[in-house]
Amino acid sequence: MKMKKEKFYITTAIPYASQKPHFGNTAEIITADAIARYRRAMGYEVYFCTGTDEHGQKIENCAAEAGISPQEYADRVSSELRGIWDLMNTTYDKFIRTTDDYHVRAVQNIFRKLYQQGDIYKSVYEGWYCVPDESFYTDTQIVDGKCPDCGRPVQKAKEEAYFLRLTKYADRLIEYINENPGFIEPESRKREMMNNFLLSGLQDLCVSRTSFKWGVPVNFDEGHVIYVWIDALSNYITALGYDPANKRQPELFNKFWPADVHIIGKDIVRFHSIYWSVILMALGLPLPKKIFGRPWTNFGVDKMSKSRGNVIYADDLARDFTVDGVRYYALAETPYATDGSITYELMISRYNTELVNNLGNLFKRTLDMQKKYYGGVVQPPTSPEPLDDELRAAATDAYATVVKCMDTYHIADAVAGIFSLLHRANKYIDETLPWTLYKDETKHARLGTVLYNLLESLRVAAVLLMPFIPHSAEEILKGLNAKPELDALEKTAKETGHKNGGYLLFSEFARFGGLVPGSVTGESKVLFARVDEKAFFEKLRAEKQSAESGSRAQNETAMPEGCALISIDDFMNVELRSAKVISAEAVPKAKKLLKLNLDLGCEQRQVVSGIAKFYKPEELIGRNVVLVANLKPATICGIESQGMILASGEETIRVVFLSDDTPPGERIR
């Protein structure tokens, strides 16, 4: 009798269809896809939803600038975004657009229901509005006339509007969060919501606008459009067919709601954990089981921003690093609770070290040895030694680590667990020396056992890697000619309805010893081609120059594109301090980075800086440098960096040094 599968409903935030998504946006869909694929591998029936948020003043403005209608503009951006999602090999089951007819009808009915039962009321809004973030703020919330979240200018707004009674549900929501400790994760996000918003007192939320037209109309009050946080957030239930006007909700909704997890950026946890929770409470629906506010992926230590000119796009990266290279970096580089970081240097280092050397070389050299010594025929492991137990244990540990970490959304740790197995397999080659065993005919049984263990380690690793780098994992299985696994992938791809959505049940395939002796391995191949750093940057510069226009592109002294003029007040907001380097050391596995300990007089700071190519640690100790002291801390290669030091140059980096008599901690103006 076939067992009934457990259900698992996972969603991403739906990105705003105002511009092409950058790498940080794309990392979210890749993360959600890895979780969805993992849950399928654990035997769950998964429903995976993503899409685009397509209404609002910003899109109306962008469309006017482009000389097209808002719908045409949204169509263009949504299509581009979906293309990138597909390129990244993501296996979503539903792609919802907030301009879809069924969604618009359901949102109108949700708004009407909440109004009729008194959870929405009409009043007048007066305050500050941030167009890019589509958020309202009070006088006490704005900072120097700017948005407290994004730092961009806000504008005064006063208009008739409808409000959602957040205050009515505040106590109930506080009680719910206290009784469900895993509802908001990581824990730091939960504390932020409780301390900064709920416990300090909620204000009712503005949920309609009259100052623009591009939105879902309030169908009982002409001139009002439903504001983003009811429109966009409702996608999680309208995608399943929910509509309060239904006499009976559809089977899809009844099967999968409540969601098991909303995967969202940390900057919108408030909207999901508070606003969305209140909407669901008011509708009489259960809340999602978990809201996971994943960290950002920054460019170095800075938030990615087109205006800053530091945006990296996933589709561009895929040309040089493959789709799986992009997926791997997105999953391996972002910690559970602290921000990750991407630079081209970090991307090249991780790609070459882990994918090219650790995985790719292990795969190719193992298959090459198998073909050279045995014509590809897999030998039975008849000559075991105690050393083999360590490799088996590494495979068992990798399986356990993936399950433990994926169940708790520690994605990077799960990936690291698999690569620990690959590291152990590479070490096993150095310990057993297969080429030496081959020279001694009395050791051929041992050689066959060693190669079996290596092939089997690759097979287990490929099974565990399927949620993370699925194409490469399948290529490994093809190289091993692992027919049961390949047949299962083909069968389950048909089951999921995704061309590349096949999965392998971990309980069936992830245990050591599954490779059948007597089978014949296929041809070896290069899974990942090494990226030459110098050639890469030369190509990048050439592409940048070809994209620039006029004499400015040829003038190396011209102000770089994207550099905006700032006021003296803006400059004074940057706190520059003198600091003495008291220690310096290389960062493991990151040949471009040095970890510096700096003395500011009153305190010490740790800073990660990409200057290792140009300075030896001993050349820096005792020197005085300029520290940008009020940057938010960031995590680079797993190390917290508490600021940055000033340097000049692109191809050659020159640190800005101060005179030896400069006291630590002195303000620089």
mmCIF file of all heavy atoms in Angstrom, residues 271-297:
data_model
loop_
_atom_site.group_PDB
_atom_site.id
_atom_site.type_symbol
_atom_site.label_atom_id
_atom_site.label_comp_id
_atom_site.label_asym_id
_atom_site.label_seq_id
_atom_site.Cartn_x
_atom_site.Cartn_y
_atom_site.Cartn_z
ATOM 1 N N PHE A 271 6.546 43.150 7.681
ATOM 2 C CA PHE A 271 5.322 43.100 6.891
ATOM 3 C C PHE A 271 4.690 41.707 6.919
ATOM 4 O O PHE A 271 3.471 41.570 6.886
ATOM 5 C CB PHE A 271 5.616 43.526 5.457
ATOM 6 C CG PHE A 271 6.356 44.835 5.372
ATOM 7 C CD1 PHE A 271 7.629 44.897 4.834
ATOM 8 C CD2 PHE A 271 5.804 45.997 5.858
ATOM 9 C CE1 PHE A 271 8.327 46.095 4.776
ATOM 10 C CE2 PHE A 271 6.481 47.200 5.809
ATOM 11 C CZ PHE A 271 7.755 47.248 5.271
ATOM 12 N N HIS A 272 5.533 40.693 6.990
ATOM 13 C CA HIS A 272 5.007 39.328 6.995
ATOM 14 C C HIS A 272 4.592 38.873 8.391
ATOM 15 O O HIS A 272 3.525 38.272 8.551
ATOM 16 C CB HIS A 272 6.057 38.368 6.426
ATOM 17 C CG HIS A 272 6.189 38.433 4.942
ATOM 18 N ND1 HIS A 272 6.818 39.480 4.296
ATOM 19 C CD2 HIS A 272 5.745 37.604 3.972
ATOM 20 C CE1 HIS A 272 6.772 39.274 2.995
ATOM 21 N NE2 HIS A 272 6.134 38.149 2.773
ATOM 22 N N SER A 273 5.414 39.150 9.382
ATOM 23 C CA SER A 273 5.115 38.630 10.715
ATOM 24 C C SER A 273 4.023 39.423 11.418
ATOM 25 O O SER A 273 3.333 38.885 12.292
ATOM 26 C CB SER A 273 6.377 38.619 11.575
ATOM 27 O OG SER A 273 6.880 39.931 11.746
ATOM 28 N N ILE A 274 3.843 40.696 11.046
ATOM 29 C CA ILE A 274 2.832 41.530 11.705
ATOM 30 C C ILE A 274 1.639 41.776 10.779
ATOM 31 O O ILE A 274 0.521 41.341 11.062
ATOM 32 C CB ILE A 274 3.449 42.857 12.186
ATOM 33 C CG1 ILE A 274 4.553 42.572 13.224
ATOM 34 C CG2 ILE A 274 2.370 43.758 12.798
ATOM 35 C CD1 ILE A 274 5.288 43.798 13.710
ATOM 36 N N TYR A 275 1.863 42.453 9.659
ATOM 37 C CA TYR A 275 0.739 42.807 8.794
ATOM 38 C C TYR A 275 0.037 41.562 8.255
ATOM 39 O O TYR A 275 -1.194 41.452 8.301
ATOM 40 C CB TYR A 275 1.207 43.668 7.616
ATOM 41 C CG TYR A 275 1.939 44.939 7.988
ATOM 42 C CD1 TYR A 275 2.635 45.657 7.032
ATOM 43 C CD2 TYR A 275 1.940 45.427 9.290
ATOM 44 C CE1 TYR A 275 3.318 46.823 7.348
ATOM 45 C CE2 TYR A 275 2.616 46.598 9.630
ATOM 46 C CZ TYR A 275 3.307 47.284 8.650
ATOM 47 O OH TYR A 275 3.981 48.435 8.971
ATOM 48 N N TRP A 276 0.823 40.634 7.720
ATOM 49 C CA TRP A 276 0.232 39.435 7.121
ATOM 50 C C TRP A 276 -0.451 38.582 8.188
ATOM 51 O O TRP A 276 -1.539 38.036 7.958
ATOM 52 C CB TRP A 276 1.315 38.649 6.396
ATOM 53 C CG TRP A 276 0.925 37.359 5.738
ATOM 54 C CD1 TRP A 276 1.600 36.176 5.808
ATOM 55 C CD2 TRP A 276 -0.196 37.107 4.880
ATOM 56 N NE1 TRP A 276 0.974 35.210 5.051
ATOM 57 C CE2 TRP A 276 -0.142 35.761 4.473
ATOM 58 C CE3 TRP A 276 -1.249 37.897 4.417
ATOM 59 C CZ2 TRP A 276 -1.082 35.178 3.633
ATOM 60 C CZ3 TRP A 276 -2.201 37.323 3.578
ATOM 61 C CH2 TRP A 276 -2.117 35.981 3.196
ATOM 62 N N SER A 277 0.145 38.496 9.348
ATOM 63 C CA SER A 277 -0.472 37.719 10.425
ATOM 64 C C SER A 277 -1.823 38.306 10.825
ATOM 65 O O SER A 277 -2.791 37.569 11.058
ATOM 66 C CB SER A 277 0.462 37.680 11.639
ATOM 67 O OG SER A 277 1.652 36.985 11.333
ATOM 68 N N VAL A 278 -1.893 39.637 10.914
ATOM 69 C CA VAL A 278 -3.165 40.280 11.277
ATOM 70 C C VAL A 278 -4.209 40.048 10.190
ATOM 71 O O VAL A 278 -5.381 39.769 10.486
ATOM 72 C CB VAL A 278 -2.951 41.782 11.533
ATOM 73 C CG1 VAL A 278 -4.286 42.518 11.603
ATOM 74 C CG2 VAL A 278 -2.163 41.986 12.826
ATOM 75 N N ILE A 279 -3.808 40.148 8.928
ATOM 76 C CA ILE A 279 -4.756 39.898 7.832
ATOM 77 C C ILE A 279 -5.329 38.490 7.941
ATOM 78 O O ILE A 279 -6.544 38.277 7.821
ATOM 79 C CB ILE A 279 -4.068 40.110 6.468
ATOM 80 C CG1 ILE A 279 -3.731 41.583 6.258
ATOM 81 C CG2 ILE A 279 -4.956 39.613 5.325
ATOM 82 C CD1 ILE A 279 -2.802 41.845 5.080
ATOM 83 N N LEU A 280 -4.458 37.512 8.193
ATOM 84 C CA LEU A 280 -4.918 36.124 8.301
ATOM 85 C C LEU A 280 -5.818 35.940 9.518
ATOM 86 O O LEU A 280 -6.849 35.247 9.444
ATOM 87 C CB LEU A 280 -3.711 35.187 8.381
ATOM 88 C CG LEU A 280 -2.904 35.039 7.092
ATOM 89 C CD1 LEU A 280 -1.592 34.312 7.364
ATOM 90 C CD2 LEU A 280 -3.710 34.298 6.030
ATOM 91 N N MET A 281 -5.451 36.546 10.630
ATOM 92 C CA MET A 281 -6.308 36.453 11.820
ATOM 93 C C MET A 281 -7.684 37.038 11.542
ATOM 94 O O MET A 281 -8.714 36.474 11.934
ATOM 95 C CB MET A 281 -5.650 37.183 12.991
ATOM 96 C CG MET A 281 -4.473 36.452 13.607
ATOM 97 S SD MET A 281 -3.720 37.421 14.958
ATOM 98 C CE MET A 281 -2.556 36.217 15.620
ATOM 99 N N ALA A 282 -7.693 38.171 10.853
ATOM 100 C CA ALA A 282 -8.974 38.817 10.546
ATOM 101 C C ALA A 282 -9.809 37.978 9.593
ATOM 102 O O ALA A 282 -11.046 38.014 9.644
ATOM 103 C CB ALA A 282 -8.725 40.202 9.957
ATOM 104 N N LEU A 283 -9.144 37.226 8.712
ATOM 105 C CA LEU A 283 -9.864 36.346 7.775
ATOM 106 C C LEU A 283 -10.259 35.027 8.423
ATOM 107 O O LEU A 283 -10.969 34.220 7.809
ATOM 108 C CB LEU A 283 -8.994 36.070 6.549
ATOM 109 C CG LEU A 283 -8.753 37.237 5.596
ATOM 110 C CD1 LEU A 283 -7.721 36.854 4.534
ATOM 111 C CD2 LEU A 283 -10.061 37.674 4.915
ATOM 112 N N GLY A 284 -9.791 34.783 9.640
ATOM 113 C CA GLY A 284 -10.094 33.526 10.314
ATOM 114 C C GLY A 284 -9.291 32.359 9.772
ATOM 115 O O GLY A 284 -9.731 31.203 9.860
ATOM 116 N N LEU A 285 -8.096 32.639 9.230
ATOM 117 C CA LEU A 285 -7.253 31.596 8.649
ATOM 118 C C LEU A 285 -6.040 31.345 9.535
ATOM 119 O O LEU A 285 -5.549 32.255 10.208
ATOM 120 C CB LEU A 285 -6.779 32.011 7.249
ATOM 121 C CG LEU A 285 -7.866 32.218 6.196
ATOM 122 C CD1 LEU A 285 -7.253 32.732 4.895
ATOM 123 C CD2 LEU A 285 -8.634 30.920 5.949
ATOM 124 N N PRO A 286 -5.526 30.117 9.519
ATOM 125 C CA PRO A 286 -4.317 29.836 10.314
ATOM 126 C C PRO A 286 -3.106 30.575 9.772
ATOM 127 O O PRO A 286 -3.006 30.852 8.570
ATOM 128 C CB PRO A 286 -4.152 28.322 10.179
ATOM 129 C CG PRO A 286 -4.920 27.941 8.950
ATOM 130 C CD PRO A 286 -6.054 28.914 8.836
ATOM 131 N N LEU A 287 -2.182 30.889 10.648
ATOM 132 C CA LEU A 287 -0.958 31.580 10.257
ATOM 133 C C LEU A 287 0.046 30.585 9.677
ATOM 134 O O LEU A 287 -0.025 29.388 9.969
ATOM 135 C CB LEU A 287 -0.337 32.280 11.469
ATOM 136 C CG LEU A 287 -0.835 33.704 11.775
ATOM 137 C CD1 LEU A 287 -2.328 33.755 11.978
ATOM 138 C CD2 LEU A 287 -0.103 34.255 12.997
ATOM 139 N N PRO A 288 0.972 31.054 8.857
ATOM 140 C CA PRO A 288 2.020 30.150 8.360
ATOM 141 C C PRO A 288 2.801 29.571 9.526
ATOM 142 O O PRO A 288 2.901 30.177 10.592
ATOM 143 C CB PRO A 288 2.895 31.065 7.484
ATOM 144 C CG PRO A 288 2.596 32.451 7.947
ATOM 145 C CD PRO A 288 1.161 32.433 8.380
ATOM 146 N N LYS A 289 3.385 28.399 9.301
ATOM 147 C CA LYS A 289 4.113 27.745 10.384
ATOM 148 C C LYS A 289 5.425 28.453 10.698
ATOM 149 O O LYS A 289 5.868 28.453 11.843
ATOM 150 C CB LYS A 289 4.370 26.283 10.020
ATOM 151 C CG LYS A 289 3.101 25.471 9.838
ATOM 152 C CD LYS A 289 3.406 24.060 9.357
ATOM 153 C CE LYS A 289 2.131 23.287 9.044
ATOM 154 N NZ LYS A 289 2.432 21.943 8.502
ATOM 155 N N LYS A 290 6.043 29.053 9.679
ATOM 156 C CA LYS A 290 7.320 29.697 9.905
ATOM 157 C C LYS A 290 7.526 30.833 8.912
ATOM 158 O O LYS A 290 7.186 30.705 7.726
ATOM 159 C CB LYS A 290 8.475 28.697 9.766
ATOM 160 C CG LYS A 290 9.836 29.267 10.175
ATOM 161 C CD LYS A 290 10.945 28.242 10.033
ATOM 162 C CE LYS A 290 10.720 27.021 10.858
ATOM 163 N NZ LYS A 290 10.721 27.304 12.325
ATOM 164 N N ILE A 291 8.083 31.934 9.411
ATOM 165 C CA ILE A 291 8.543 33.043 8.572
ATOM 166 C C ILE A 291 10.050 33.121 8.753
ATOM 167 O O ILE A 291 10.533 33.407 9.854
ATOM 168 C CB ILE A 291 7.860 34.365 8.976
ATOM 169 C CG1 ILE A 291 6.354 34.275 8.700
ATOM 170 C CG2 ILE A 291 8.479 35.540 8.222
ATOM 171 C CD1 ILE A 291 5.551 35.400 9.304
ATOM 172 N N PHE A 292 10.768 32.815 7.685
ATOM 173 C CA PHE A 292 12.232 32.803 7.778
ATOM 174 C C PHE A 292 12.795 34.030 7.069
ATOM 175 O O PHE A 292 12.741 34.141 5.852
ATOM 176 C CB PHE A 292 12.814 31.532 7.160
ATOM 177 C CG PHE A 292 14.310 31.444 7.320
ATOM 178 C CD1 PHE A 292 14.866 31.157 8.553
ATOM 179 C CD2 PHE A 292 15.161 31.686 6.258
ATOM 180 C CE1 PHE A 292 16.236 31.094 8.727
ATOM 181 C CE2 PHE A 292 16.536 31.626 6.409
ATOM 182 C CZ PHE A 292 17.077 31.325 7.651
ATOM 183 N N GLY A 293 13.332 34.954 7.864
ATOM 184 C CA GLY A 293 13.912 36.180 7.323
ATOM 185 C C GLY A 293 15.376 35.967 6.997
ATOM 186 O O GLY A 293 16.246 36.163 7.847
ATOM 187 N N ARG A 294 15.646 35.548 5.763
ATOM 188 C CA ARG A 294 17.027 35.213 5.386
ATOM 189 C C ARG A 294 17.868 36.489 5.287
ATOM 190 O O ARG A 294 17.357 37.565 4.970
ATOM 191 C CB ARG A 294 17.067 34.442 4.066
ATOM 192 C CG ARG A 294 16.615 35.224 2.853
ATOM 193 C CD ARG A 294 16.704 34.376 1.589
ATOM 194 N NE ARG A 294 18.047 33.892 1.351
ATOM 195 C CZ ARG A 294 18.983 34.574 0.743
ATOM 196 N NH1 ARG A 294 18.757 35.816 0.338
ATOM 197 N NH2 ARG A 294 20.173 34.063 0.540
ATOM 198 N N PRO A 295 19.159 36.373 5.537
ATOM 199 C CA PRO A 295 20.033 37.549 5.458
ATOM 200 C C PRO A 295 20.231 37.993 4.017
ATOM 201 O O PRO A 295 19.884 37.284 3.073
ATOM 202 C CB PRO A 295 21.343 37.055 6.076
ATOM 203 C CG PRO A 295 21.319 35.576 5.893
ATOM 204 C CD PRO A 295 19.886 35.163 5.964
ATOM 205 N N TRP A 296 20.803 39.172 3.855
ATOM 206 C CA TRP A 296 21.125 39.686 2.528
ATOM 207 C C TRP A 296 22.427 39.091 2.028
ATOM 208 O O TRP A 296 23.244 38.586 2.794
ATOM 209 C CB TRP A 296 21.290 41.205 2.581
ATOM 210 C CG TRP A 296 20.023 41.959 2.771
ATOM 211 C CD1 TRP A 296 18.756 41.549 2.461
ATOM 212 C CD2 TRP A 296 19.887 43.282 3.329
ATOM 213 N NE1 TRP A 296 17.849 42.518 2.791
ATOM 214 C CE2 TRP A 296 18.510 43.595 3.322
ATOM 215 C CE3 TRP A 296 20.790 44.210 3.817
ATOM 216 C CZ2 TRP A 296 18.028 44.811 3.787
ATOM 217 C CZ3 TRP A 296 20.316 45.421 4.277
ATOM 218 C CH2 TRP A 296 18.955 45.715 4.265
ATOM 219 N N THR A 297 22.616 39.179 0.717
ATOM 220 C CA THR A 297 23.929 38.949 0.131
ATOM 221 C C THR A 297 24.418 40.302 -0.358
ATOM 222 O O THR A 297 23.871 40.869 -1.305
ATOM 223 C CB THR A 297 23.854 37.955 -1.046
ATOM 224 O OG1 THR A 297 23.283 36.725 -0.589
ATOM 225 C CG2 THR A 297 25.247 37.685 -1.594
#
